[in-house]
Every structure is written in structure tokens, then in C-alpha cells.
Amino acid sequence: MFRNPWFETVAEAQRRARKRLPYSVYGALLAGSERGSTLTDNVRAFAELGFAPRVVGQHAVRDLTTTVLGMATAMPVLISPVGAQGVHPGGEVAVAGAAAGHGVIMGLSSFASMGVEEVVAANPNTAFQIYWSGDRDAIVGRMERARAAGCKALIATPDWSFSHGRDWGSPTIPERIDPKTMLKLAPDVLAHPGWLWQFARTRRVPDLTTPNMRRPDGTVPTFFGAYREWMGTPPPTWEDIAWLAKEWGGPFLLKGVGRVDDARRAVDAGVTALSVSNHGGNNLDTTPATIRLLPAIAEAVGEQIEVLLDGGIRRGGDVAKALALGARAVLIGRAYLWGLAANGEAGVGNVLDIMRGGLDSAVLGLGHASVGALNPGDLVIPEGFTRSAGAAL
């Protein structure tokens, strides 16, 4: 379809993904609840921040390395856990391989279509993401499986984070791929022969089961079966989060924080890191962009735990802006999924190269020798840009 498989921007990866993927698959990647205000603001907010580059004194060599969740990483960009990666037959294993090849940490979702053992084999620096789903014994069982597989950190996503209501229409995601479903989806799929051929030559169909949510009786639920179980479990308390962090006993990231008071409670609960996140705009719509909320949270708890950010990262310059405002690292989601759809494992690596190149250019232009030196003085911040929620307990 494309003579040159290489792309120079994440925007180009998205264009190729849109052309290659069936509408229902591409629509699921777009996501975003209700009118998509949060989804839009996540991206737009980065464009409101300006750089203040230096004209003399740049460093010929820049250090982009850091440590996150106890793991060394070649740059402060992590793979965010995203479930059911049916955009390419390589799925999470392809993503993990690309991340390992670039020295980047892999985040693996409980709702992934490939087992944790396969993914850790492709990337030993894997953090397993867990939901508060089922009783404590079931949760411990999934956690211990991740530990036995070799996962080095745990990512907890405790809050509801998926919306069916989208003003532009929610894509049809089937319960399972069976003959009836294949027939129903055939017109859309046949209109995208390149995508169909990728799966046909591997003799498999997109997997909508969740092997990492395997039940004690050995059955493996479908994506929506696991989702319904999660939604049917009473939400966790802060005491539950403290229990989970203690039970894991290692690097533990709480994902989804947007309030200062929640950040402080997370510290009290014993987490070692948090991610300022609105789940890519899939949570309550009109939640502010995460980059607007980051400075207040980083100021409140940044000296006590690692503060990360996800939401809206599309280029290396966005990474630099997040680091300048107090993040230790960022997680990317849609960006690498578009790369995976565009060109498989090589496409994910392409996206990581784009991130690294843009980040390195920003560090160079701002006159620093390392990513650790980035600070608010490197930015032109418009008046009224930042937001703060829950500033007082």
C-alpha cells in the first residue's frame, strides 16, 4: 500500500492506520467519551505551550536515559498498557519487541490479547497493569502470575475508564469473532484487503479473549466478559490500594490521578509512582488535559514519589514539555498503536524513533545536557494554562 514503510511523524502513522484498518477497528482506537472534549484538550494543550530555546551553549552530546519504576530506560517514554491490540496479528508481543529493541519499558494490560509470559519473554522490562476485578483471591492470583512471569512493576487502574457514549458514534466491537460476526463485518473488512491479508497469512483472526484474566477454573473470558466482571466488582477504597501495593511489595504505579488530594492519598497508601491521567479521554468528559494538571500534582508529591503523565503525547517535544513541568516520564498509547497498525513491530519502533528524535532536539535546543535538566524556565506558559483540582484535603 505504501512504497516506503517508514513514516516521519505520528500524524502520518495515524493517516496510514486510518487507511489500512476497518472502520470499526480504527474507531476503537480513536475512542474518547461523549463529545471528546478531554480527548481534544489532551492534544491541544501541548500546542499552547511554547519553547524558549537558547542560541549558544548547546551540548554536543545529550543523555536521554533515566530510571522509572526501578528499571533503566533509554528515554523517559513508556508503553502504556492498552487491551485487545487486534490492529495487527503481532499484537502486544510485537509492541514489546519494539520497546525492548529501543530500551523502553513495556506496559501490559490485563485485557491484552496475549499472555504475560509471551510478552515478558519479548521484553524483560515489563510492568503488568491490573484492575480491581473480582475478589482479593482472584486479584492476587493475577498478580502472582505476573510476578512469576518476571514482571518488574505493577500498574493499578482502579477507576472506571471506558465510555460507550460518543457523540460521533461508538464502533461495533463484537463479543467474539465467530462465523456470524465474520459475515456481519465482511463488507467493512473486505474493503481493507491489506489488513485482512495480514491475519490471513498467519491463519488467525483478531483475538478478543483476555488470557491474563484467566479464571481459577481455567476458562478465559472474552474482552467484554472480563469488562463486565470488572464493572460488577465494587470499586476499591484507599485501604484496598494500600493492601494491593503492600501485597505486590515492589514498584507500584497508580494510574488515573488528576487531583492533588488523590495524589497525596496515593503517597499515604504506599504507591511508589503515579500517572497523571484521564485514560486518553475515555473517562469523564471535560476533565482537563493532563498536562494542565501536572504542575500542581508534581509540586505536591514530586519529591516523594515518581510522577508520570499520559494523554496527548504525539511527538518528542510533548515529552520534553511534560518533563519540564515535573514529570519523570510519560506513557504513550494511541501513538504506538497507530505505528503498530501502519507497519507492525517496525512501525512501533518507528514511533519510538520519532519520540527520541524530537526529545533529543528539544534538549539540544534548550541548552541542556540531559533530560533531567528540563525545567519550567524552558517553556513559555500562557497565563491561565494550568488547572488544579482537589488542592486541599
Side-chain angles (χ1 to χ4, degrees), residues 319-388:
V319 180
K321 290 172 182 177
L323 269 56
L325 291 181
R328 186 177 187 86
V330 305
L331 299 100
I332 59 171
R334 289 183 180 88
Y336 79 79
L337 288 174
W338 288 325
L340 179 65
N343 195 27
E345 182 173 335
V348 178
N350 194 156
V351 167
L352 292 173
D353 284 336
I354 290 168
M355 293 292 169
R356 181 178 180 84
L359 175 59
D360 186 56
S361 293
V363 175
L364 169 65
L366 295 167
H368 295 306
S370 71
V371 290
L374 291 165
N375 64 83
D378 296 319
L379 304 179
V380 178
I381 306 172
E383 184 178 352
F385 174 82
T386 59
R387 307 284 189 275
S388 179

Side-chain angles (χ1 to χ4, degrees), residues 110-116 145 207 209-214 220-221:
S110 288
F111 286 179
S113 58
M114 294 184 173
V116 60
R145 179 182 171 185
D207 193 350
T209 60
T210 56
N212 297 314
M213 294 292 287
R214 186 178 60 210
V220 177

